Amino acid sequence: MYRARSYMPGRRALAITTTTIAVGSTYLYFRPSPVYLDSETLQAKKRPGPLWSPPSRAQMLEHLRTSGTYIHRTLEGGPEPGPVLRKDEGEKEGEDVFDLLIVGGGATGAGTALDAASRGLKVACVERDDFASGTSSKSTKLVHGGVRYLQKAIFELDYEQWKLVKEALRERRIFLETAPHLSSMLPILLPIYTWWQLPYYYAGCKLYDFLAGKENMESAYWMGKGKALEAFPMLKSDGLVGGVVYYDGQHNDSRMNISLVMTAVQHGAIMANHVEVTALHKKPDPSRGGELRISGATLKDRLTGEEWDVRCRGVINATGPFSDGLRKLDEPTTQEIVAPSAGVHITLPNYYGPKTMGLLDPATSDGRVIFFLPWQGNVIAGTTDSPTTVSQNPIPEEKEIQWILDEVRNYLSPDVKVRRGDVLSAWSGIRPLVRDPDAKNTQSLVRNHMINISKGGLLTIAGGKWTTYRAMAEETVEAAVKEFGLKPTGRSQTDHIKLVGGHAWTNTMYIKLIQQFGLETEVAKHLAESYGDQAWAVAAMAKPTGYSWPLHGIRLSPLYPYIEAEARYACRREYAMNAVDFVARRTRLSFLNVQATLESLPRVIDIMAEELGWDKSRKEKEFVDAVEFLKSMGLPKQTKLTLKDMIRSGGDIGPLGLAKTEEAELYARAQFTPDEVTHLRQQFERFDFDHDQKITRSDLVHAMTEMGYNASIEAADSILREVDFGRKGEIGFQEYLDIAAGMKELKLETAFTHLAQLDSSRKMGEKAQIGPHANDDGAQRESRRKIPVERSGGGT
């Protein structure tokens, strides 16, 4: 059994004294570090040429059916898949089968495939759903060493913990160098509201820099209150002392995963999505005394239902949260090792934070750490950490979304009203925490990642994080070479292999795209940062817009820089097989805005139908499947839409597909709970005396009469004008919610809110009746004949 050095992340922020730092750093830092070979002495495949085109998925499946016997080994740079010959062409299948069958196409599986293929091994990698469809597309998008993980290393002088953070910092540097188009540095602010915390956090961040050594990005620094508010204007100023800024990395996780897949393909790996392992095969191994060992598997194409057997020398289980499922195919009675934990993130509009700086809340109300980061033009906030069950597309719980909003509200200025309706998307990723089945205490969790090899030879790699995917893959292949007796051409080369798209990328490359193709600046930047030097191939597929500017690049949504050509490129060059593959993983539209995704779906499906030959029924199925997936991205469970509905409505479907339904009100852009919305609906209906679903002049006259005021048409018209911004002469329920929001958030009182009994002295949600003075003929009635000036809205 092989087990990686591993750790459990701490849940509290750094709180370390300078004395402890001095002792810890003196003792630990000068211990010997591993020596790595000069990458310049190693050989790897050169960058793909401008005419390089990956094999089709059909060609991949042909090689899987023949167990890789038509893949030719080379001395360097990875094997070369050749044409698969038919049996009637006179060539028999040989015995030189796949060295490795990797199950799982996420970060770890794709990274392992690249590492093994670049060493000359014959590799097949299959994914039951789509590449990056699980945890690898639902991360916090950080490339980090773990600034909050140093506490244990310092306080307990834990050298193993120290080495783990140091290793992650080294991997962070490699990550940013091998995928420069998909990753970048990001300054992160720790706001300080207590003076004594400032030196503690500053010392901790400087230690983080010190530990990174030559791999460090930029040095941490502190700033006063004025500078902190200048850098992060949305920050709450009351009590703010200043802030500490440190640097980590950020990336586009599923695009990174796709780039790993395509780089593995370039190096000769066979990669196939939507292919499931349904059984593992074993045969006696003479070298192990006849012991039964895994020698192959049964695969199933989930798009067609076709099944076949594949032979291999070893199987690697890299299925993350689903690891136990494959382990039980090997040994049905095996002990489960995955302890799944749900991490919920939400996406907010870009005005919630600056474009170039993130925020870390090191001490939330329950001790969890929360990040607040700019990403792809919006802001993401998360993550939670709570036990869950394993499922393909977990749905984020409302209480977790509300918890994140509450924590965000604590740090932002009162001018920024944190509203439930501002959540553009929400998703839950399953973090596969693992237990070591061979440990004496099987209840304790492995702190980072673990490699386990079963009696039958199933090698499982589980745990870890995005930042260290490459080191995990390298360690996994080393273990596989030893366990299965493989013969690679050399050591791992992935510490210097640039991923597809990164070879010729520069941060000003987008200017050439603008000049050559006539793209909008925002679109050109997006293409350069998502596809790197492959952006030229995407732009070449862009159709003319028909305008004088931009010349090319028709957007799928006016809110985001994704263009129609990306859907064609995804089908032709990146193995997108359904609409969800595209909106969730090839682009990030569903992670950024569920409403925009819903509105873009019909056009996406039309383009993919042209590329993949879908008929009408398949297009309708794609839409239904996509809507179902979007329910795991924040779309309400009650949403029921068909492609016909979208076409019939011309795209005008209301908020989140809930047009003219009660549920739509829950997603109004106001800070209301579901109970408050229910109460406001009841108030509205009591105010609507004629029950025509709108408040009109006659309803106001009736309300004034019921409440004992002098009622007149002139007074009613004056009151209505104060709140009828659309000048329609009536107030619908959505406008009523907006007025109530003004009362709740800004204390905007008017004669209308008084008549509706929305005045701020009454707690929102408290039940009240229209007309408490209807039968009042007492002496005090005359004093209530006029609405007070401060509530009149115009002195009526």
Side-chain angles (χ1 to χ4, degrees):
M1 156 156 185
Y2 303 84
R3 188 172 64 189
R5 297 187 303 274
S6 50
Y7 67 99
M8 272 285 285
R11 294 188 186 276
R12 302 296 295 179
L14 291 173
I16 35 184
T17 64
T18 53
T19 302
T20 306
I21 291 170
V23 173
S25 60
T26 302
Y27 171 70
L28 297 173
Y29 187 74
F30 294 103
R31 298 290 288 272
S33 298
V35 178
Y36 296 94
L37 296 175
D38 181 3
S39 62
E40 296 299 319
T41 65
L42 300 172
Q43 297 294 321
K45 279 199 173 183
K46 296 179 181 179
R47 59 173 289 197
L51 300 179
W52 178 76
S53 181
S56 67
R57 182 174 180 272
Q59 291 173 305
M60 296 291 189
L61 297 185
E62 284 296 315
H63 283 293
L64 283 174
R65 293 188 189 97
T66 55
S67 299
T69 56
Y70 294 106
I71 298 174
H72 309 298
R73 297 184 185 274
T74 60
L75 294 178
E76 61 184 37
E80 295 285 353
V84 176
L85 303 179
R86 297 191 305 269
K87 291 186 177 180
D88 59 7
E89 291 181 299
E91 184 165 336
K92 297 177 64 176
E93 293 183 9
E95 292 300 320
D96 190 12
V97 297
F98 286 119
D99 292 311
L100 293 173
L101 171 64
I102 300 168
V103 187
T108 306
T112 302
L114 172 58
D115 190 287
S118 63
R119 298 200 210 186
L121 298 176
K122 287 190 177 184
V123 180
C125 177
V126 297
E127 163 60 47
R128 181 177 62 180
D129 198 317
D130 182 34
F131 303 122
S133 59
T135 310
S136 296
S137 63
K138 299 175 181 177
S139 71
T140 311
K141 326 301 182 192
L142 285 175
V143 186
H144 64 113
V147 65
R148 67 190 194 277
Y149 299 164
L150 281 174
Q151 182 180 13
K152 184 179 181 66
I154 296 300
F155 282 146
E156 301 182 19
L157 292 179
D158 188 336
Y159 181 51
E160 288 300 314
Q161 192 80 273
W162 180 277
K163 287 194 298 182
L164 287 166
V165 178
K166 188 171 174 61
E167 178 187 53
L169 288 170
R170 176 180 180 271
E171 290 301 317
R172 182 186 69 176
R173 189 263 303 168
I174 295 172
F175 199 115
L176 269 64
E177 287 182 358
T178 57
H181 57 303
L182 294 168
S183 55
S184 61
M185 290 191 300
L186 178 70
I188 300 176
L189 172 69
L190 285 79
I192 308 298
Y193 288 89
T194 307
W195 273 109
W196 61 266
Q197 290 181 325
L198 190 58
Y200 290 170
Y201 287 123
Y202 179 66
C205 290
K206 294 304 288 185
L207 176 61
Y208 192 58
D209 293 345
F210 177 65
L211 188 58
K214 65 180 181 181
E215 278 90 27
N216 193 34
M217 295 177 167
E218 296 286 344
S219 296
Y221 59 92
W222 70 274
M223 58 175 66
K225 177 178 178 178
K227 287 293 184 181
L229 290 174
E230 183 180 338
F232 209 113
M234 305 81 180
L235 207 57
K236 182 176 69 177
S237 61
D238 291 347
L240 182 67
V241 172
V244 175
V245 176
Y246 75 97
Y247 285 79
D248 252 327
Q250 189 179 47
H251 74 134
N252 187 338
D253 51 9
S254 76
R255 288 295 318 164
M256 178 73 182
N257 205 144
I258 298 302
S259 190
L260 277 171
V261 168
M262 303 316 297
T263 310
V265 170
Q266 184 215 350
H267 282 79
I270 301 302
M271 312 289 291
N273 53 352
H274 302 286
V275 174
E276 181 179 8
V277 173
T278 59
L280 294 174
H281 305 155
K282 297 180 181 180
K283 68 179 182 181
D285 184 352
S287 66
R288 295 176 180 265
E291 188 178 75
L292 288 177
R293 301 279 289 181
I294 295 174
S295 60
T298 298
L299 305 183
K300 179 180 180 180
D301 183 350
R302 300 189 73 195
L303 301 181
T304 63
E306 178 192 0
E307 288 189 288
W308 67 92
D309 293 340
V310 62
R311 295 175 293 159
C312 60
R313 292 182 173 86
V315 174
I316 293 177
N317 177 9
T319 55
F322 302 93
S323 296
D324 285 326
L326 192 62
R327 292 177 73 246
K328 287 184 177 180
L329 283 182
D330 173 35
E331 297 178 7
T333 59
T334 192
Q335 176 187 339
E336 293 188 355
I337 63 171
V338 175
S341 173
V344 173
H345 296 79
I346 63 174
T347 306
L348 298 166
N350 56 15
Y351 55 75
Y352 269 79
K355 293 181 179 180
T356 57
M357 180 172 284
L359 181 144
L360 167 63
D361 178 354
T364 61
S365 59
D366 64 358
R368 290 182 281 190
V369 172
I370 191 170
F371 286 96
F372 189 68
L373 308 168
W375 186 71
Q376 300 290 301
N378 283 349
V379 172
I380 60 172
T383 176
T384 63
D385 183 10
S386 54
T388 187
T389 55
V390 176
S391 60
Q392 183 61 42
N393 293 307
I395 295 176
E397 294 187 17
E398 183 63 29
K399 66 178 182 180
E400 301 284 6
I401 296 173
Q402 292 292 347
W403 179 83
I404 295 174
L405 291 174
D406 290 341
E407 296 301 328
V408 167
R409 192 175 291 116
N410 290 336
Y411 272 88
L412 296 188
S413 165
D415 291 337
V416 182
K417 297 299 176 183
V418 181
R419 308 176 296 188
R420 176 59 178 85
D422 284 341
V423 177
L424 303 177
S425 183
W427 71 91
S428 177
I430 301 178
R431 184 183 177 201
L433 301 176
V434 291
R435 298 184 181 93
D436 181 358
D438 295 335
K440 293 181 180 179
N441 178 11
T442 57
Q443 295 305 308
S444 60
L445 297 175
V446 174
R447 292 176 294 175
N448 184 21
H449 66 271
M450 177 191 71
I451 294 176
N452 173 263
I453 302 175
S454 71
K455 184 179 178 181
L458 178 65
L459 193 157
T460 298
I461 169 68
K465 59 183 180 180
W466 244 118
T467 307
T468 57
Y469 84 90
R470 193 208 65 82
M472 291 166 57
E474 179 180 340
E475 192 174 344
T476 300
V477 175
E478 291 290 349
V481 167
K482 183 177 179 181
E483 179 67 20
F484 307 129
L486 307 180
K487 297 178 180 179
T489 55
R491 55 144 280 186
S492 175
Q493 305 179 56
T494 52
D495 58 354
H496 70 281
I497 294 177
K498 268 196 167 56
L499 303 189
V500 167
H503 294 84
W505 178 86
T506 66
N507 56 11
T508 57
M509 191 190 85
Y510 72 93
I511 297 174
K512 295 181 181 179
L513 289 170
I514 296 173
Q515 294 174 334
Q516 180 167 336
F517 294 99
L519 301 170
E520 294 175 84
T521 300
E522 187 182 10
V523 170
K525 283 186 174 181
H526 154 66
L527 294 181
E529 292 169 1
S530 296
Y531 301 90
D533 57 31
Q534 298 298 300
W536 304 98
V538 183
M541 297 181 188
K543 293 183 177 180
T545 62
Y547 302 115
S548 59
W549 190 265
L551 301 179
H552 294 87
I554 302 171
R555 293 195 184 209
L556 289 168
S557 167
L559 301 176
Y560 297 96
Y562 303 120
I563 60 175
E564 292 183 357
E566 291 180 77
R568 300 190 188 280
Y569 183 84
C571 293
R572 297 177 192 179
R573 305 282 288 271
E574 291 186 338
Y575 306 116
M577 304 306 298
N578 58 46
V580 174
D581 290 353
F582 176 74
V583 299
R585 269 91 59 178
R586 305 310 182 278
T587 62
R588 311 316 309 276
L589 192 55
S590 67
F591 282 79
L592 294 173
N593 192 320
V594 171
Q595 177 78 17
T597 306
L598 206 55
E599 293 168 354
S600 302
L601 267 178
R603 182 55 186 151
V604 170
I605 291 172
D606 281 344
I607 295 170
M608 296 187 74
E610 293 174 14
E611 295 293 325
L612 301 175
W614 295 343
D615 58 16
K616 184 178 180 181
S617 62
R618 173 65 187 272
K619 289 169 66 175
E620 292 172 348
K621 181 180 183 301
E622 284 293 325
F623 186 85
V624 171
D625 290 347
V627 168
E628 194 62 29
F629 166 78
L630 291 176
K631 292 178 182 179
S632 70
M633 302 300 297
L635 191 70
K637 297 178 183 178
Q638 302 89 342
T639 302
K640 294 182 180 179
L641 280 175
T642 65
L643 188 56
K644 290 180 181 178
D645 295 332
M646 290 290 294
I647 296 172
R648 191 183 307 116
S649 66
D652 184 16
I653 54 173
L656 301 176
L658 296 171
K660 300 180 181 180
T661 66
E662 191 77 22
E663 292 84 358
E665 295 145 11
L666 296 177
Y667 296 88
R669 300 181 75 78
Q671 186 185 325
F672 295 129
T673 66
D675 288 343
E676 287 174 338
V677 172
T678 299
H679 173 64
L680 287 168
R681 165 60 75 179
Q682 294 170 352
Q683 279 188 319
F684 179 83
E685 291 174 350
R686 286 196 295 268
F687 204 170
D688 178 20
F689 291 98
D690 53 8
H691 307 296
D692 61 354
Q693 298 302 306
K694 53 194 175 189
I695 306 299
T696 60
R697 171 203 295 166
S698 62
D699 292 316
L700 288 170
V701 170
H702 195 153
M704 285 189 286
T705 302
E706 288 285 298
M707 296 182 73
Y709 295 116
N710 290 330
S712 68
I713 292 176
E714 291 78 11
D717 284 341
S718 178
I719 292 171
L720 193 60
R721 279 196 298 271
E722 291 297 318
V723 292
D724 179 22
F725 301 113
R727 296 295 183 259
K728 297 182 296 183
E730 62 191 38
I731 300 296
F733 185 62
Q734 290 299 326
E735 291 94 340
Y736 188 84
L737 283 178
D738 290 338
I739 296 166
M743 277 294 305
K744 183 174 184 180
E745 299 178 357
L746 304 177
K747 312 302 181 188
L748 298 177
E749 297 188 38
T750 65
F752 181 90
T753 63
H754 177 65
L755 292 175
Q757 301 202 8
L758 288 171
D759 51 308
S760 58
S761 62
R762 181 174 291 103
K763 183 180 179 182
M764 189 69 70
E766 179 182 330
K767 291 187 177 181
Q769 295 291 328
I770 289 287
H773 310 295
N775 299 317
D776 182 5
D777 292 322
Q780 295 183 0
R781 177 169 179 169
E782 189 62 30
S783 66
R784 295 191 297 272
R785 288 290 182 181
K786 292 185 182 295
I787 295 177
V789 171
E790 66 271 16
R791 286 179 170 168
S792 69
T796 303

